[in-house]
Coordinates of all heavy atoms in Angstrom, one line a residue:
V17 N -281.3 -49.7 185.1 CA -282.0 -49.6 183.8 C -281.1 -48.7 182.9 O -281.0 -48.9 181.7 CB -283.4 -49.0 183.9 CG1 -284.0 -48.7 182.6 CG2 -284.3 -50.0 184.6
W18 N -280.5 -47.7 183.5 CA -279.6 -46.8 182.7 C -278.3 -46.5 183.6 O -278.5 -46.1 184.7 CB -280.3 -45.5 182.3 CG -279.5 -44.5 181.6 CD1 -279.3 -44.6 180.1 CD2 -278.7 -43.5 182.0 NE1 -278.5 -43.5 179.8 CE2 -278.1 -42.8 180.9 CE3 -278.4 -42.9 183.3 CZ2 -277.3 -41.7 181.0 CZ3 -277.6 -41.8 183.4 CH2 -277.0 -41.2 182.2
T19 N -277.2 -46.6 182.9 CA -276.0 -46.3 183.6 C -275.0 -45.5 182.8 O -274.9 -45.8 181.5 CB -275.3 -47.7 184.1 OG1 -276.2 -48.4 184.9 CG2 -274.0 -47.4 184.9
L20 N -274.3 -44.6 183.3 CA -273.3 -43.7 182.6 C -272.0 -43.8 183.3 O -271.9 -43.5 184.5 CB -273.8 -42.4 182.4 CG -272.8 -41.3 181.9 CD1 -272.5 -41.7 180.4 CD2 -273.4 -39.9 182.0
K21 N -270.9 -44.2 182.6 CA -269.6 -44.2 183.1 C -268.8 -43.0 182.6 O -268.8 -42.9 181.3 CB -268.9 -45.5 182.8 CG -267.5 -45.6 183.4 CD -266.8 -46.9 183.0 CE -266.7 -47.2 181.5 NZ -266.0 -48.4 181.2
I22 N -268.2 -42.2 183.3 CA -267.4 -41.1 182.9 C -266.0 -41.2 183.5 O -265.9 -41.4 184.8 CB -268.0 -39.7 183.2 CG1 -269.4 -39.7 182.8 CG2 -267.2 -38.6 182.7 CD1 -270.2 -38.5 183.4
T23 N -265.0 -41.0 182.8 CA -263.6 -41.1 183.3 C -262.8 -39.9 182.9 O -262.7 -39.6 181.7 CB -262.9 -42.4 182.8 OG1 -263.7 -43.5 183.1 CG2 -261.5 -42.6 183.5
W24 N -262.2 -39.3 183.9 CA -261.2 -38.2 183.6 C -259.8 -38.9 183.8 O -259.5 -39.3 185.0 CB -261.4 -37.1 184.6 CG -262.7 -36.3 184.5 CD1 -262.8 -35.0 183.8 CD2 -263.9 -36.6 185.0 NE1 -264.1 -34.6 184.0 CE2 -264.9 -35.6 184.7 CE3 -264.4 -37.7 185.7 CZ2 -266.2 -35.6 185.1 CZ3 -265.8 -37.7 186.0 CH2 -266.7 -36.7 185.7
E25 N -259.0 -38.9 182.7 CA -257.8 -39.6 182.8 C -256.6 -38.6 182.7 O -256.5 -37.8 181.8 CB -257.6 -40.6 181.7 CG -256.3 -41.4 181.8 CD -256.1 -42.3 180.6 OE1 -256.2 -41.8 179.5 OE2 -255.7 -43.4 180.7
K26 N -255.7 -38.6 183.7 CA -254.5 -37.8 183.8 C -254.8 -36.3 183.4 O -254.1 -35.8 182.5 CB -253.4 -38.4 182.8 CG -253.0 -39.8 183.3 CD -251.9 -40.4 182.3 CE -251.5 -41.8 182.9 NZ -250.4 -42.3 182.0
A27 N -255.8 -35.8 184.1 CA -256.1 -34.3 183.8 C -255.1 -33.4 184.5 O -254.9 -33.5 185.8 CB -257.5 -34.1 184.4
P28 N -254.4 -32.5 183.8 CA -253.5 -31.6 184.4 C -254.3 -30.4 185.1 O -255.4 -30.2 184.6 CB -252.6 -31.1 183.3 CG -252.9 -32.0 182.1 CD -254.3 -32.5 182.3
V29 N -253.7 -29.8 186.0 CA -254.3 -28.6 186.6 C -254.4 -27.4 185.6 O -253.5 -27.4 184.7 CB -253.6 -28.2 187.9 CG1 -252.2 -27.6 187.6 CG2 -254.4 -27.2 188.7
Y30 N -255.4 -26.7 185.7 CA -255.5 -25.5 184.8 C -254.3 -24.6 184.9 O -253.7 -24.3 185.9 CB -256.7 -24.6 185.3 CG -256.9 -23.4 184.5 CD1 -257.2 -23.4 183.1 CD2 -256.8 -22.1 185.1 CE1 -257.4 -22.3 182.5 CE2 -256.9 -20.9 184.4 CZ -257.2 -21.0 183.0 OH -257.4 -19.9 182.3
A31 N -253.9 -24.1 183.7 CA -252.7 -23.2 183.5 C -251.4 -24.0 183.9 O -250.5 -23.3 184.4 CB -252.9 -22.0 184.4
A32 N -251.4 -25.3 183.7 CA -250.2 -26.0 183.9 C -249.2 -25.8 182.7 O -249.0 -26.7 181.8 CB -250.4 -27.5 184.1
R33 N -248.6 -24.7 182.7 CA -247.9 -24.4 181.4 C -246.5 -25.1 181.3 O -245.9 -25.2 180.3 CB -247.7 -22.8 181.4 CG -248.9 -22.0 181.3 CD -249.6 -22.3 180.0 NE -250.8 -21.5 179.9 CZ -252.0 -22.0 179.6 NH1 -252.1 -23.3 179.4 NH2 -253.1 -21.2 179.5
T34 N -245.9 -25.4 182.5 CA -244.6 -26.0 182.4 C -244.5 -27.4 182.9 O -243.7 -28.1 182.5 CB -243.6 -25.1 183.3 OG1 -244.1 -25.1 184.6 CG2 -243.5 -23.7 182.7
D35 N -245.4 -27.8 183.8 CA -245.3 -29.1 184.4 C -246.7 -29.8 184.3 O -247.6 -29.4 185.0 CB -244.8 -29.0 185.9 CG -244.6 -30.5 186.5 OD1 -244.8 -31.4 185.7 OD2 -244.3 -30.5 187.6
T36 N -246.7 -30.7 183.4 CA -248.1 -31.5 183.2 C -247.9 -32.9 183.7 O -248.7 -33.8 183.4 CB -248.5 -31.5 181.7 OG1 -247.4 -32.0 181.0 CG2 -248.8 -30.1 181.3
R37 N -246.9 -33.2 184.5 CA -246.6 -34.5 185.1 C -247.5 -34.9 186.2 O -247.9 -36.1 186.4 CB -245.2 -34.7 185.5 CG -244.2 -34.7 184.3 CD -242.8 -34.7 184.8 NE -242.4 -33.4 185.6 CZ -241.4 -33.2 186.2 NH1 -240.3 -34.1 186.1 NH2 -241.2 -32.1 186.9
K38 N -247.9 -34.0 187.0 CA -248.8 -34.2 188.1 C -250.2 -34.0 187.7 O -250.7 -32.9 187.4 CB -248.5 -33.2 189.3 CG -247.1 -33.5 189.9 CD -246.9 -32.5 191.1 CE -245.6 -32.8 191.7 NZ -245.4 -34.1 192.2
T39 N -250.9 -35.2 187.6 CA -252.2 -35.2 187.0 C -253.2 -35.9 188.0 O -252.8 -36.4 189.0 CB -252.3 -35.9 185.6 OG1 -251.9 -37.3 185.9 CG2 -251.3 -35.2 184.7
V40 N -254.5 -35.9 187.7 CA -255.5 -36.5 188.5 C -256.3 -37.5 187.6 O -256.6 -37.1 186.4 CB -256.5 -35.6 189.2 CG1 -255.7 -34.8 190.3 CG2 -257.1 -34.6 188.3
T41 N -256.6 -38.7 188.1 CA -257.5 -39.6 187.3 C -258.6 -40.1 188.2 O -258.3 -40.6 189.3 CB -256.6 -40.8 186.9 OG1 -255.6 -40.4 186.0 CG2 -257.4 -41.9 186.1
Y42 N -259.8 -39.9 187.8 CA -261.0 -40.3 188.6 C -262.1 -40.6 187.8 O -262.1 -40.5 186.5 CB -261.3 -39.2 189.6 CG -261.6 -37.8 189.0 CD1 -262.9 -37.4 188.8 CD2 -260.6 -36.9 188.6 CE1 -263.2 -36.1 188.2 CE2 -260.8 -35.8 188.1 CZ -262.2 -35.4 187.8 OH -262.4 -34.1 187.3
Q43 N -263.2 -41.1 188.4 CA -264.3 -41.7 187.6 C -265.6 -41.4 188.4 O -265.7 -41.4 189.6 CB -264.0 -43.2 187.5 CG -264.8 -44.0 186.4 CD -264.2 -45.4 186.3 OE1 -264.3 -46.2 187.2 NE2 -263.6 -45.7 185.1
A44 N -266.7 -41.3 187.5 CA -268.0 -41.2 188.1 C -268.9 -42.2 187.4 O -268.8 -42.4 186.1 CB -268.6 -39.8 187.9
V45 N -269.7 -42.9 188.1 CA -270.7 -43.8 187.5 C -272.1 -43.5 188.0 O -272.3 -43.6 189.3 CB -270.4 -45.3 187.9 CG1 -271.4 -46.3 187.3 CG2 -269.0 -45.7 187.4
L46 N -272.9 -43.0 187.1 CA -274.3 -42.7 187.5 C -275.2 -43.8 187.0 O -275.1 -44.4 186.0 CB -274.8 -41.4 186.8 CG -274.3 -40.1 187.3 CD1 -272.9 -39.8 186.8 CD2 -275.2 -39.0 186.9
T47 N -276.2 -44.2 187.9 CA -277.0 -45.3 187.5 C -278.4 -45.1 188.2 O -278.5 -44.5 189.2 CB -276.4 -46.6 188.1 OG1 -277.2 -47.7 187.7 CG2 -276.2 -46.7 189.6
T48 N -279.5 -45.6 187.5 CA -280.8 -45.4 187.9 C -281.7 -46.6 187.5 O -281.4 -47.2 186.4 CB -281.4 -44.1 187.5 OG1 -282.7 -43.9 188.0 CG2 -281.5 -44.0 185.9
D49 N -282.8 -46.8 188.2 CA -283.7 -47.7 187.8 C -285.0 -47.0 187.4 O -286.1 -47.6 187.2 CB -284.1 -48.8 188.9 CG -284.5 -48.1 190.2 OD1 -284.8 -46.9 190.2 OD2 -284.7 -48.9 191.2
G50 N -285.0 -45.7 187.3 CA -286.1 -44.9 187.0 C -286.8 -44.3 188.3 O -287.6 -43.4 188.1
F51 N -286.6 -44.9 189.4 CA -287.1 -44.5 190.6 C -286.1 -44.0 191.6 O -286.3 -43.0 192.4 CB -288.0 -45.6 191.2 CG -289.1 -46.1 190.4 CD1 -288.9 -47.2 189.6 CD2 -290.3 -45.5 190.4 CE1 -289.9 -47.7 188.8 CE2 -291.3 -45.9 189.6 CZ -291.1 -47.1 188.7

């Protein structure tokens, strides 16, 4: 009945001041029918 898709794309690690090439990409999908 309700679904939410969230995507984090190419997120650098905190305080990545010099190298932002190594990133993470992942996704969450929440869904419910009310019950």
Side-chain angles (χ1 to χ4, degrees):
V17 171
W18 181 86
T19 304
L20 172 65
K21 178 182 62 174
I22 308 164
T23 306
W24 293 258
E25 182 187 47
K26 296 183 178 179
V29 68
Y30 176 68
R33 297 294 181 236
T34 58
D35 186 0
T36 57
R37 292 172 297 177
K38 293 185 180 297
T39 62
V40 292
T41 298
Y42 57 98
Q43 197 170 65
V45 179
L46 286 81
T47 184
T48 183
D49 60 5
F51 300 96

